[in-house]
Amino acid sequence: MADEESSDLSISVASLSLDAASPCPALNQAQDEVAYLKTALKNQNMAHKEEIVKIEKVNKNLREELQKILSRTEESAQKGRRDSAPPAVASLSPSASPRMTVEEKFQLVRSIGEECIQEEELRNLLAKKPNPICYDGFEPSGRMHIAQGVMKTLNVNKLTSAGCKVKIWIADWFALMNNKMGGDLKKIRKIGEYLIEIWKAMGMNQQNVEFVWSSDEINKRADEYWPLVIDISRRNTLHRIIRCSPAMGRSEHDDLTASQILYPCMQCADIFFLKADICQLGMDQRKVNTLAREYCDDIKREDKPIILSHHMLPGLQQGQEKMSKSDPSSSIFMDDDEAQVNKKIKKAYCPPKKVEGNPCIEVYTTMEELIADYVSGDLHPHDFKTSLSKAINKILQPVREHFMNDSAAKELLETVKGYTGTR
């Protein structure tokens, strides 16, 4: 679960438009973008009139799509916006909308994942269990980028809207085992608090989410946890465990420490320890989640955890598979100011007329007409980047304001920014 850098990370404009201050922020965002692009294109020359018509058509489709999504999620998201509860949020039982059918729940939950193992199991789970438990986890290891901040908020709110209860595993011990922050647990805990603070500012539905610190929960129920870890470890070869190294952000060929060998066995145990029905993590966690299903086969357990793996948002530079905290040029951080966002997007890899391997264009992958305009050359990278920067800055503004106006949050941010991370 190293850094959990990911999140349905083919971000669409709909995905990125989450503003905690407006009753329908994403639609307002779409309208603002239409006005902005009109002005920019008209100032260039009259030949861009055709582009304006095309962009208006795209945004019309966008508004219709946003309305469908927000009608499902707005009621629950409003309850959690700017929630002032402390980090240890009380566990509340979520309630699915009575208007949602099983198929609607399935489509909403399934939309989060690039891959689902298995779809029929997910559909059956939603039919028989009104409030399934979803597990997500992350190592507190540094500043948060938009893949982890924006997308996790959107994914969690989709899950809670479908009636799911989400347990977010704050893997402080795992970060320690993976040598993050030089193994300083106090720093790791402080970063965990900072990450939670960002999700609160973004509008994550706190009422249906439980944040669980791994060190606290494992110590509290050690007699349940460690026998499970031991049983998983004795049923697997060293080779099979090493294959799970990507879950830690490591390679199978790295010189792993003994704690990093133990790590996958513990992460596999987490799924059963938290009684998770659904593992909602990134594609980089696929091997260790699959290990949990294999363990079910070993112990003859019929109800296997469903794996719902979201896509990984690529880094901003050419050839970067995902955003990384260790490389600031590859990531847009949730606390970046407007100038920093503009600079990073301006320098981002965005070849004209090319979609594949283009990290900027990926944010629009659900908008087929816009993609066609970009490939044809009707939409220039400069105009596209300008619009993208403006959209991202609007999304991040509530977070900036939160850390600016809340003295405790401001102090927390300054503390985290002063830390030097370790791989």
Side-chain angles (χ1 to χ4, degrees):
M1 71 191 72
D3 300 346
E4 232 327 80
E5 296 175 335
S6 74
S7 186
D8 186 4
L9 291 180
S10 287
I11 310 180
S12 65
V13 176
S15 298
L16 283 172
S17 298
L18 183 64
D19 181 344
S22 170
C24 196
L27 293 179
N28 291 341
Q29 170 69 28
Q31 292 166 351
D32 288 345
E33 287 302 293
V34 173
Y36 172 80
L37 288 170
K38 278 184 178 179
T39 302
L41 293 172
K42 283 181 178 179
N43 287 341
Q44 290 184 23
N45 55 54
M46 296 302 292
H48 284 136
K49 283 185 177 180
E50 292 182 2
E51 293 182 28
I52 295 172
V53 172
K54 291 178 180 179
I55 293 171
E56 286 180 331
K57 186 175 180 181
V58 169
N59 278 278
K60 178 182 177 183
N61 294 338
L62 169 62
R63 288 193 295 271
E64 292 174 353
E65 182 64 22
L66 289 171
Q67 188 60 61
K68 293 177 184 177
I69 296 171
L70 292 175
S71 63
R72 293 192 183 116
T73 63
E74 186 62 25
E75 182 178 351
S76 60
Q78 282 181 341
K79 294 178 182 178
R81 277 192 191 106
R82 295 194 180 276
D83 191 287
S84 59
V89 178
S91 173
L92 298 176
S93 178
S95 299
S97 169
R99 297 187 299 271
M100 292 182 69
T101 65
V102 170
E103 185 59 26
E104 287 172 334
K105 290 183 188 178
F106 170 79
Q107 293 298 334
L108 183 60
V109 173
R110 180 63 184 88
S111 69
I112 293 171
E114 176 178 325
E115 177 185 69
C116 178
I117 306 175
Q118 299 280 346
E119 287 191 351
E120 196 56 35
E121 292 178 17
L122 175 59
R123 186 178 276 106
N124 291 338
L125 172 68
L126 295 171
K128 71 179 183 180
K129 192 170 183 177
N131 306 129
I133 295 174
C134 297
Y135 145 75
D136 193 354
F138 67 94
E139 282 185 7
S141 58
R143 294 167 65 195
M144 180 186 286
H145 51 59
I146 60 172
Q148 188 178 25
V150 176
M151 298 315 301
K152 189 185 292 293
T153 299
L154 288 161
N155 288 344
V156 167
N157 286 356
K158 283 184 179 182
L159 290 169
T160 56
S161 294
C164 298
K165 176 179 178 180
V166 179
K167 291 185 178 183
I168 298 182
W169 189 239
I170 311 174
D172 52 348
W173 266 6
F174 291 79
L176 172 65
M177 295 166 65
N178 207 10
N179 198 38
K180 298 301 174 66
M181 289 296 121
D184 189 327
L185 190 57
K186 289 184 178 179
K187 289 182 178 180
I188 291 168
R189 294 278 297 203
K190 188 65 68 175
I191 292 171
E193 294 171 7
Y194 149 82
L195 299 179
I196 294 171
E197 201 70 28
I198 288 180
W199 286 319
K200 286 163 57 178
M202 276 301 300
M204 182 179 285
N205 187 356
Q206 302 285 302
Q207 289 187 330
N208 298 333
V209 173
E210 180 182 7
F211 291 101
V212 186
W213 292 85
S214 67
S215 57
D216 294 344
E217 198 67 17
I218 292 172
N219 280 332
K220 189 188 306 180
R221 299 159 53 198
D223 58 337
E224 180 182 347
Y225 186 79
W226 292 114
L228 184 56
V229 173
I230 292 170
D231 194 46
I232 291 169
S233 63
R234 76 180 185 85
R235 292 175 183 271
N236 288 278
T237 65
L238 182 60
H239 176 71
R240 177 65 182 92
I241 296 303
I242 290 176
R243 281 173 52 202
C244 296
S245 298
M248 301 177 285
R250 309 289 172 177
S251 164
E252 296 179 30
H253 306 293
D254 287 349
D255 186 14
L256 301 175
T257 65
S259 66
Q260 290 167 338
I261 297 295
L262 181 61
Y263 187 121
C265 298
M266 291 175 62
Q267 185 174 339
C268 180
D270 295 342
I271 297 167
F272 304 100
F273 185 62
L274 296 172
K275 297 178 172 52
D277 300 300
I278 300 172
C279 300
Q280 205 293 282
L281 299 162
M283 286 294 292
D284 59 341
Q285 307 296 306
R286 186 182 186 279
K287 289 184 178 180
V288 74
N289 288 334
T290 303
L291 181 67
R293 289 179 64 91
E294 293 172 358
Y295 177 66
C296 289
D297 290 334
D298 289 340
I299 63 175
K300 306 296 189 277
R301 171 173 166 159
E302 293 185 3
D303 292 332
K304 300 179 181 180
I306 295 160
I307 304 173
L308 190 64
S309 304
H310 56 245
H311 178 63
M312 309 292 289
L313 185 65
L316 298 176
Q317 304 306 313
Q318 184 176 7
Q320 295 179 330
E321 293 185 358
K322 63 181 182 179
M323 287 191 176
S324 171
K325 295 180 177 68
S326 59
D327 182 3
S329 68
S330 78
S331 305
I332 294 175
F333 294 112
M334 295 296 294
D335 50 60
D336 276 347
D337 60 31
E338 186 173 346
Q340 289 171 322
V341 171
N342 294 341
K343 182 178 180 180
K344 289 180 179 181
I345 293 297
K346 184 177 181 179
K347 292 185 175 182
Y349 179 64
C350 190
K353 301 183 181 181
K354 184 178 178 182
V355 173
E356 186 177 355
N358 186 331
C360 290
I361 203 69
E362 185 163 339
V363 303
Y364 286 94
T365 52
T366 61
M367 304 301 294
E368 294 181 3
E369 292 184 58
L370 191 146
I371 296 298
D373 289 345
Y374 190 83
V375 171
S376 70
D378 289 344
L379 182 59
H380 191 273
H382 174 75
D383 298 324
F384 174 73
K385 283 186 171 184
T386 301
S387 178
L388 179 59
S389 295
K390 189 169 183 284
I392 293 174
N393 277 313
K394 285 193 174 184
I395 294 156
L396 299 184
Q397 192 55 34
V399 177
R400 294 171 184 150
E401 291 176 358
H402 177 70
F403 282 97
M404 184 182 300
N405 300 326
D406 187 303
S407 58
K410 185 176 182 179
E411 182 180 354
L412 185 60
L413 174 60
E414 292 305 315
T415 299
V416 171
K417 279 187 173 182
Y419 292 158
T420 300
T422 52
R423 184 177 182 274

